[in-house]
Amino acid sequence: MTDQSGTPSRASSRSGGRAARRSARASALPDHMRPVRPGMEGGGLRPLTQEGMERIHRAALDALETIGLADAPPSGVEYLTNAGCIQGDDGRIRFPRALVEDMLSKANRSVTLCSRDGRHDLELSGNRVHYGTAGAAVHMVDVAGRNYRDSTVQDLHDAARICDKLDNIHFCQRPMVCRDIPDNMEMDLNSIYATTAGTTKHIGVSFSEPDFVAPAVEMLHMIAGGEDKWRERPFVSNSNCFVVPPMKFATESCEVMERCIEAGMPVLLLSAGMAGATAPSTIAGAITQAVAECLAGLVYVNAVKPGAPAIIGTWPFGLDLRTGAMTMGSGEQALLTAGCAQMHKFYGIPGGAAAGASDSKMPDMQAGWEQMCSNVMAGLSGLNMVYESAGMHASLLGFCHESLILGDDIIGQALRCVRGIEVNDETLALDQIASVCMGGPGHYLGTSQTLDRMQVDYVYPSLGDRTSPKEWAELGKPDLLEKATARKEQILSERSAARFDPALDAEIRRRFNIHLDA
C-alpha cells in the first residue's frame, strides 16, 4: 500500500514489521540460542562479603568441633567414627576441623542429575542455575472454588505432566504428598510411579522408612531396564532430611540416606531450620547452622562412599516473629537463600535452597511479588538448584497447578535477569545507530538486526498480558487465572509422553499396588 506519491505508507511499514516480528517469533530456536535455558551462569549477586563467608565458615567448623550432632544411628556412628569423628560421653558426634576440610577436598565438585530421556540432564557446578519444584504440600489449591483440599496421587501425576511441558521448570522434585494413600510404603512407591510416568525430567523423592528403599530401587531398575542402566544414569534422587535442627541427626532418615547411597542414588542433604525457632533468628546465624549441619552430612556421605553424588541443601526458612508463622515470601527468606548459595560457591560444592514459594493462599498479586523476589535473588546468586520455585503457596502447605504454569513465566523473566547484559561490538550496536540516524528511517522497528535479536535477547511471557487496554477489551478481557486453567486442561487432555511402555507398565502393576488408573 502506498500514498499518492508512491511512498510506502506508515501503516504499511508498521504492519509489515509486525508481521515479520510475529513470523520470527513463531520460529523455534535451537536450544543453544534460546534467550534463557537450564544451567545459565548466575553469581553476580553477593549479599555476603568475603570476610562474612570466611567468618561463617569458621563458626560452622567451631560448631561441628565443639557442639557436634546428636542422635546418629548405630550405623552412622560406625561410619563417622571410622572416618575420624569423635563420639563424646554425651553421645554427640563431633567433627575435627581437619577431618571436615579433608572430606571437603574429597567431595564431588560436580554432580549431573540425569533425566530419563537424556535431553534434560542437569550439570550442577559453579554458578549454573536450575529451577524446579519441591516440597511436601498436603493440600491442593482450587482456584475456581477458592478453597483447599487434600492432595492426591493424581494431583502429583498431573503436576509432573505439567512440569514436563514447561521450558523453565528444569526438574520435578515431588511437590506434594499423596494423602489418599494411607500406607506409607505404598505412598512412597506411588510417588515414584506418578512422577516418572509424568515427566522424563529429573525426579526427586523422599522415603518414609529405610526398608522402603529396596522395593523403590527395584521399581527404578525395571523402569531403567536393569540395574546396570540405572546405575549408569540414575534419574531419581533422594531428598533427605537427614537432620532435625538444631544439630541433631534424623535417625531413620540417615539410614535411608545410607541405603540410597549404596543403591547409586544421588542425595540432597536437606537442613531446614526455621530462623527464630529451630535455628538462630539472625540471617547470619541461620546460615551458619545450616552450613554446619550440611557439612556434617557431607562428611557422612563421603564416609559411606567417597565422592558419592551429594547436593548440600541449606534450606533455612524465615519466621514472622510476631506470630511464629513461616514467611516463605519475605525479603529475609530471599537473603537466606542467596547467602546459602554464596556459601556453596565458597566450598565449590553443588548446592540447593528454597525460593519462589509464597505465603499467599492464592495465585494473586502477593504471590507474584513474593515468587519473583526470591526467584530472582536465588538465580542472581548462582544457586545450582532452586527448589520450590513454582506452584507453592500457604507457606508450603498448598500446591497449585495453575500457579505452576504461571511460575514458568515468572522464572523465564528471572532467568533473563540471571543471563545479564552482554557487551560486545554487536550488542553495542554503534553501526545500527549510525545507519538509523543518518539517512535511515529514524527507528529500529523491523530492521534486520532487531529481527535477528528479538528471540535471542528477549523472553516473552506465555500467559502474561502485554496488550493495550483496547486490545484487551476486544479479546474479551482475558483473565490470567482463566488462561492458566485453560493451559492446564490442554496439557492434561493429552497423554503423557513419559508414560511407560504397556508391557512394562503391566509388569510394574503386577509387582506393586499402583493407585493411578491405567
Side-chain angles (χ1 to χ4, degrees):
M1 177 180 178
T2 60
D3 60 20
Q4 290 182 345
S5 66
T7 303
S9 70
R10 182 178 298 270
S12 173
S13 174
R14 291 177 63 184
S15 176
R18 179 177 296 176
R21 291 193 296 275
R22 285 177 174 167
S23 175
R25 176 63 187 145
S27 302
L29 282 177
D31 285 347
H32 72 281
M33 293 182 64
R34 289 167 50 197
V36 296
R37 51 196 176 273
M40 292 197 310
E41 293 273 345
L45 176 67
R46 299 181 180 92
L48 289 171
T49 64
Q50 182 65 28
E51 180 189 6
M53 289 188 289
E54 290 171 356
R55 292 191 66 177
I56 287 173
H57 169 60
R58 291 195 297 270
L61 292 184
D62 285 343
L64 289 172
E65 194 166 46
T66 62
I67 301 168
L69 275 73
D71 297 344
S75 56
V77 172
E78 183 176 357
Y79 278 122
L80 291 167
T81 54
N82 286 343
C85 292
I86 301 166
Q87 184 174 33
D89 294 338
D90 57 1
R92 301 184 74 88
I93 300 289
R94 292 177 173 84
F95 299 73
R97 305 171 88 86
L99 172 65
V100 177
E101 290 170 342
D102 181 56
M103 286 298 197
L104 276 168
S105 71
K106 296 176 180 177
N108 206 321
R109 288 298 191 272
S110 176
V111 171
T112 298
L113 295 181
C114 297
S115 57
R116 207 168 93 232
D117 63 0
R119 296 190 304 109
H120 298 97
D121 291 0
L122 309 179
E123 181 190 331
L124 312 189
S125 62
N127 293 306
R128 296 170 65 88
V129 178
H130 309 87
Y131 289 87
T133 60
V138 295
H139 299 297
M140 288 298 297
V141 181
D142 173 14
V143 296
R146 294 183 59 79
N147 56 44
Y148 277 49
R149 59 169 175 80
D150 286 354
S151 50
T152 69
V153 67
Q154 184 66 55
D155 294 324
L156 179 59
H157 179 57
D158 290 346
R161 293 170 65 188
I162 293 168
C163 287
D164 200 58
K165 293 289 189 179
L166 301 179
D167 287 342
N168 300 319
I169 302 297
H170 306 142
F171 61 92
C172 178
Q173 185 162 306
R174 180 213 64 189
M176 71 198 78
V177 296
C178 307
R179 299 192 71 188
D180 56 337
I181 304 178
D183 182 88
N184 283 340
M185 184 170 76
E186 289 194 5
M187 181 180 69
D188 288 353
L189 295 172
N190 274 270
S191 294
I192 291 176
Y193 179 92
T195 48
T196 53
T199 180
T200 57
K201 296 178 181 179
H202 186 81
I203 300 294
V205 296
S206 299
F207 298 106
S208 307
E209 296 182 21
D211 290 343
F212 299 170
V213 176
V217 171
E218 180 186 347
M219 181 189 291
L220 292 171
H221 290 173
M222 294 171 68
I223 295 170
E227 180 178 357
D228 56 338
K229 290 185 172 60
W230 157 257
R231 287 187 176 272
E232 181 182 349
R233 292 186 52 81
F235 47 84
V236 173
S237 56
N238 172 226
S239 174
N240 194 290
C241 295
F242 73 104
V243 288
V244 179
M247 304 293 281
K248 292 191 296 184
F249 285 113
T251 306
E252 284 197 336
S253 292
C254 288
E255 294 171 344
V256 166
M257 179 178 71
E258 293 171 13
R259 298 189 190 188
C260 288
I261 293 169
E262 292 162 1
M265 188 179 294
V267 174
L268 167 66
L269 298 165
L270 203 163
S271 162
M274 291 188 285
T278 57
S281 61
T282 61
I283 293 173
I287 293 174
T288 298
Q289 181 179 296
V291 167
E293 290 168 343
C294 284
L295 288 180
L298 201 65
V299 172
Y300 198 150
V301 167
N302 284 277
V304 175
K305 182 180 180 182
I311 304 162
I312 52 174
T314 47
W315 287 27
F317 293 122
L319 288 184
D320 186 320
L321 296 179
R322 302 168 303 177
T323 63
M326 288 182 67
T327 56
M328 286 301 301
S330 65
E332 293 82 11
Q333 181 63 55
L335 284 168
L336 283 165
T337 295
C340 286
Q342 273 191 270
M343 293 308 298
H344 306 161
K345 311 312 155 196
F346 180 85
Y347 295 114
I349 301 294
S358 174
D359 303 317
S360 179
K361 311 308 172 286
M362 289 283 156
D364 53 16
M365 185 173 179
Q366 176 186 340
W369 85 60
E370 290 177 341
Q371 291 164 341
M372 180 61 92
C373 175
S374 59
N375 269 332
V376 168
M377 287 187 65
L380 291 179
S381 66
L383 184 63
N384 292 148
M385 295 288 279
V386 188
Y387 295 100
E388 298 172 340
S389 65
M392 194 63 77
H393 288 266
S395 307
L396 308 185
L397 291 175
F399 191 80
C400 178
H401 288 146
E402 287 83 356
S403 185
L404 173 61
I405 290 169
L406 296 174
D408 189 60
D409 267 0
I410 291 174
I411 294 168
Q413 301 304 314
L415 280 166
R416 186 61 186 91
C417 296
V418 170
R419 176 177 160 184
I421 303 170
E422 296 89 11
V423 179
N424 53 45
D425 288 345
E426 182 180 0
T427 61
L428 288 169
L430 188 59
D431 57 338
Q432 290 185 58
I433 298 171
S435 175
V436 165
C437 295
M438 297 188 298
H443 63 78
Y444 300 88
L445 294 171
T447 66
S448 60
Q449 295 93 335
T450 296
L451 293 173
D452 287 344
R453 303 289 304 194
M454 65 177 294
Q455 282 183 282
V456 176
D457 283 353
Y458 289 81
V459 176
Y460 303 92
S462 297
L463 297 180
D465 189 348
R466 291 179 173 176
T467 61
S468 69
K470 180 176 182 294
E471 290 173 304
W472 174 70
E474 290 171 349
L475 292 169
K477 302 179 180 179
D479 176 83
L480 192 59
L481 282 178
E482 290 175 356
K483 290 198 287 185
T485 299
R487 174 68 173 139
K488 177 190 76 172
E489 292 173 350
Q490 183 263 320
I491 291 173
L492 298 182
S493 69
E494 303 169 358
R495 183 174 175 81
S496 169
R499 288 298 289 266
F500 308 125
D501 174 83
L504 171 61
D505 192 63
E507 185 181 354
I508 292 173
R509 289 175 181 274
R510 279 194 298 271
R511 172 66 182 84
F512 304 99
N513 184 19
I514 300 301
H515 289 242
L516 274 174
D517 293 336

